[in-house]
């Protein structure tokens, strides 16, 4: 029975790879921060895009949008680490030009991360500072908030005190 489940999952991935091979786009978006970008556009029928999103397990279909061809364009699009994960899952099933595009995009993102020490400055510096802007030592008076950033307990207490005084 397990063999049947594995075959079923493999068949879904092969379908996704074939659909992406024919209709998909993979590249690197070059804005302030580089990010891997994938997309699939369909006209008139969003069913294959919904199936792709369901099989991959992430993302949603946007549309209908109006473009120069029609007023019923649908699009599946992912950017960043989720797009990289999708490409890594589909990579064994891709062939030809789409395989080269995916490999080149993954290689470019890896080189970018190696040169810049991470996705962007925000991710590189997160949790690496030792002192707050006022000069207090985080080791003595620091804590992490829910997002993983360091907060100075001393400065935070002073800020709360000032707010209470204003009231």
């Amino acid at each position: 029975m397990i063999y049947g489940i594995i075959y079923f999952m493999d068949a879904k991935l092969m379908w996704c790879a074939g659909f992406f091979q024919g209709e998909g786009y993979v590249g690197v978006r070059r804005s302030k921060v580089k990010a891997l970008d994938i997309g699939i556009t369909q006209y008139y029928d969003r069913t294959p895009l919904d199936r792709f999103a369901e099989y991959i397990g992430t993302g949603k279909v946007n549309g209908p949008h109006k473009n120069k061809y029609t007023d019923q364009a649908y699009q599946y699009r992912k950017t960043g680490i989720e797009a990289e994960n999708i490409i890594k899952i589909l990579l064994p099933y891709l062939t030809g030009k789409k395989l080269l595009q995916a490999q080149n995009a993954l290689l470019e993102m890896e080189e970018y991360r190696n040169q810049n020490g991470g996705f962007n400055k925000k991710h590189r510096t997160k949790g690496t500072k030792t002192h707050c802007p006022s000069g207090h030592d985080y080791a003595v008076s620091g804590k992490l908030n829910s997002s993983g950033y360091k907060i100075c307990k001393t400065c935070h207490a002073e800020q709360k005190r000032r707010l209470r005084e204003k009231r």
Side-chain angles (χ1 to χ4, degrees):
M1 187 62 183
I2 293 176
Y3 176 75
I5 293 171
I6 292 171
Y7 177 76
F8 183 65
M9 292 301 293
D10 199 41
K12 286 183 176 183
L13 287 178
M14 286 192 284
W15 182 88
C16 289
F19 182 57
F20 187 78
Q21 176 91 25
E23 303 292 328
Y25 159 82
V26 60
V28 177
R29 185 177 57 175
R30 291 166 179 84
S31 57
K32 288 183 179 180
V33 178
K34 280 188 179 182
L36 194 106
D37 186 30
I38 65 169
I40 306 172
T41 302
Q42 287 288 289
Y43 301 106
Y44 304 109
D45 186 14
R46 69 178 281 154
T47 309
L49 294 173
D50 289 328
R51 181 178 293 167
F52 183 85
E54 177 189 340
Y55 288 174
I56 289 297
T58 182
K60 65 178 185 169
V61 178
N62 296 314
H65 301 292
K66 188 173 184 176
N67 66 14
K68 64 182 179 180
Y69 302 112
T70 180
D71 59 346
Q72 291 182 341
Y74 301 93
Q75 188 173 45
Y76 175 92
R77 190 166 199 161
K78 274 297 187 187
T79 304
I81 196 72
E82 283 187 331
E84 286 187 47
N85 290 337
I86 291 170
I87 288 300
K88 287 176 184 175
I89 290 170
L90 298 179
L91 200 61
Y93 305 103
L94 297 177
T95 60
K97 188 176 181 180
K98 196 64 70 181
L99 175 64
L100 289 174
Q101 288 175 349
Q103 289 172 334
N104 288 338
L106 288 171
L107 183 64
E108 186 175 341
M109 287 307 302
E110 186 177 334
E111 289 173 357
Y112 174 71
R113 265 190 235 106
N114 289 338
Q115 290 173 354
N116 296 308
F119 284 101
N120 58 32
K121 186 177 179 182
K122 177 180 171 184
H123 288 93
R124 276 197 319 271
T125 61
K126 184 177 176 180
T128 60
K129 295 181 179 177
T130 58
H131 289 79
C132 78
S134 299
H136 301 117
D137 188 4
Y138 280 132
V140 175
S141 66
K143 65 178 184 176
L144 293 177
N145 68 4
S146 60
S147 299
Y149 290 97
K150 293 182 179 177
I151 297 174
C152 177
K153 288 180 185 177
T154 308
C155 292
H156 189 69
E158 287 176 20
Q159 183 183 17
K160 280 186 168 183
R161 183 186 51 80
R162 277 188 253 124
L163 287 173
R164 279 194 303 270
E165 288 175 358
K166 279 186 179 180
R167 289 185 207 156

